[in-house]
Amino acid sequence: QLQLVESGGESAQPGGYVRLSCEASGAHFASFSMAWYRQSPGKARELVANIDSYSENINYVDSVKGRFHISRDNSKNAVYLQMNQLEPEDTAVYYCNADGVRGGLGEYWGRGTQVTVSA
């Protein structure tokens, strides 16, 4: 089993930056693909970025390409989301996700961290 705890959410101005962290406790962290999702009020949760076990395959939703950067450190059981050039539309609760379904390890979610972008 894996427990995920996000941190780093805060208020920022448009054009600013925020760095989110997600720390995992439990075994086999490197066996999980990791992802960041976000959800705004009244909207469905959407995938923002994902990264495979050894950072060889990384994907972003079109709206954040060139602005956000996902990374992971398997030695620290952590995944990060560097968010640059923030826009008001980036305002959301950001969730950390661990997907180990293919390896029979299950899927896990953090509780989320709020990012608010406003002038």
Side-chain angles (χ1 to χ4, degrees), residues 6-21 36-41 46 48 64 67-68 80-96 111-119:
E6 302 97 335
S7 62
E10 62 180 286
S11 295
Q13 293 188 339
Y17 63 90
V18 171
R19 179 175 171 86
L20 303 182
S21 299
W36 288 95
Y37 286 74
R38 67 185 179 187
Q39 188 167 22
S40 304
E46 71 166 347
V48 176
V64 308
R67 301 188 298 121
F68 289 11
Y80 309 99
L81 186 67
Q82 179 68 41
M83 308 165 59
N84 301 321
Q85 301 173 47
L86 286 166
E87 302 171 353
E89 294 74 21
D90 297 319
T91 296
V93 178
Y94 285 74
Y95 297 91
C96 181
R111 294 188 173 184
T113 186
Q114 176 72 47
V115 174
T116 301
V117 183
S118 64

Side-chain angles (χ1 to χ4, degrees), residues 29-32 34 52-55 72-78:
F29 175 77
S31 298
F32 289 84
M34 300 299 297
D52 68 359
S53 295
Y54 293 100
S55 306
R72 67 188 292 165
D73 186 340
N74 289 341
S75 70
K76 296 182 180 179
N77 281 15

